[in-house]
Amino acid sequence: HNSVLPHTEIVDMKAEKENLFSKKLQTSIESALKANQQVLLFLNRRGSARALICNSCGQAVLCPTCDISLTFHADIGQLACHYCNFRSTPAAVCTNCSSSDMRFVGDGTKKLESEIKLRWPDAKVARIDSDNADLAHLQSTYQELASGEIDIILGTQMISRGLDIAGLTLVGIIDADSAMYIPDFSSSERTFQLLSQSAGR
C-alpha cells in the first residue's frame, strides 16, 4: 500500500536529566492530552527494573537456572526470571563481594506506568505486557481504547502491532535503541521493525 511512516523525531537522552521522558516527549504528551487525543508509549521491557546490580563489583543478581539477570517487579516485591519463572526476594548484600551497595537499573513497563500516573494523575492509563496478558483483560482494554476511554496506553511489543485507533496521534518509544545491543546479528533489523511497527499505530 502507499502509506508512509509518520514523522519521527529522535531525542538524544544524554542531554536530558529525566530518566524516562525527554522534555520533547513530555510536552507532546501534554499537548495530546489537552486536545483529547490518545498516546501510546512503547517500552520493550517488563517489570519495574531490568536488574539488581552491585555498585561495588558490578555483578547482577542472576537466575540460577538460566544465568540471566533477574527482573524486579515492585508490585510483588520480588525478582523474577522471565524465562523459567524463578523468583526470589531482592538481596540486601551482594553474593559476590558482600557489599551492601545494591541498586536497581533499567526501567520497565511497571515503573513507566507508575511514573505516568505521578506526572499525569488525571489521565486514564492502561498497561499491556505479558504480565497481564489474559484474553479478558486484552479485550476490555482494546474496547476502552477504541471508545476513547483510555488516554495513555503503554506496554511491550504486544502493543506495537495490530492496533488501529483513530484517536491515537502520538507514539513515544522509550529507550528505543536498547534492543540493538542484544547479541544477535539481526538485532538492528528487529529493532527497526519494532520501532516502525510502533510508529505505525
Side-chain angles (χ1 to χ4, degrees):
H1 55 80
N2 296 319
S3 63
V4 294
L5 285 173
H7 169 72
T8 304
E9 186 170 337
I10 297 170
V11 178
D12 184 354
M13 292 301 288
K14 290 194 298 289
E16 301 278 343
K17 290 183 180 174
E18 300 292 336
N19 288 330
L20 287 170
F21 304 100
S22 66
K23 290 184 182 73
K24 175 71 177 175
L25 182 56
Q26 286 182 64
T27 305
S28 299
I29 291 171
E30 282 157 13
S31 299
L33 293 175
K34 280 178 190 169
N36 291 320
Q37 296 167 342
Q38 292 168 299
V39 176
L40 182 146
L41 296 175
F42 171 71
L43 174 60
N44 206 23
R45 196 162 45 236
R46 293 188 289 157
S48 304
R50 179 173 43 86
L52 175 61
I53 67 163
C54 173
N55 263 347
S56 298
C57 71
Q59 177 65 46
V61 179
L62 303 176
C63 173
T65 308
C66 305
D67 204 34
I68 61 158
S69 60
L70 297 172
T71 301
F72 179 61
H73 291 258
D75 54 338
I76 59 172
Q78 288 192 316
L79 295 163
C81 175
H82 289 165
Y83 290 91
C84 72
N85 207 29
F86 169 81
R87 294 183 182 212
S88 70
T89 304
V93 174
C94 177
T95 54
N96 188 50
C97 71
S98 301
S99 169
S100 59
D101 191 8
M102 305 290 286
R103 71 184 173 100
F104 293 107
V105 296
D107 300 312
T109 50
K110 289 178 181 175
K111 172 75 184 291
L112 179 62
E113 182 181 28
S114 62
E115 196 74 24
I116 290 167
K117 287 178 176 177
L118 279 173
R119 288 176 188 271
W120 297 284
D122 297 328
K124 174 87 188 282
V125 180
R127 174 178 53 85
I128 293 179
D129 55 32
S130 49
D131 289 330
N132 64 359
D134 63 274
L135 187 59
H137 173 74
L138 293 175
Q139 287 175 332
S140 66
T141 303
Y142 183 78
Q143 286 169 354
E144 288 177 20
L145 190 62
S147 65
E149 295 172 57
I150 293 173
D151 299 309
I152 302 173
I153 181 83
L154 68 112
T156 56
Q157 58 187 319
M158 293 181 71
I159 63 166
S160 69
R161 61 192 87 161
L163 292 178
D164 186 16
I165 306 297
L168 189 65
T169 59
L170 175 67
V171 172
I173 301 173
I174 314 294
D175 284 344
D177 60 347
S178 60
M180 289 195 293
Y181 302 107
I182 294 169
D184 180 340
F185 73 94
S186 64
S187 59
S188 57
E189 184 180 342
R190 288 183 185 201
T191 299
F192 175 78
Q193 288 171 344
L194 274 174
L195 301 188
S196 58
Q197 284 165 353
S198 301
R201 297 308 100 223

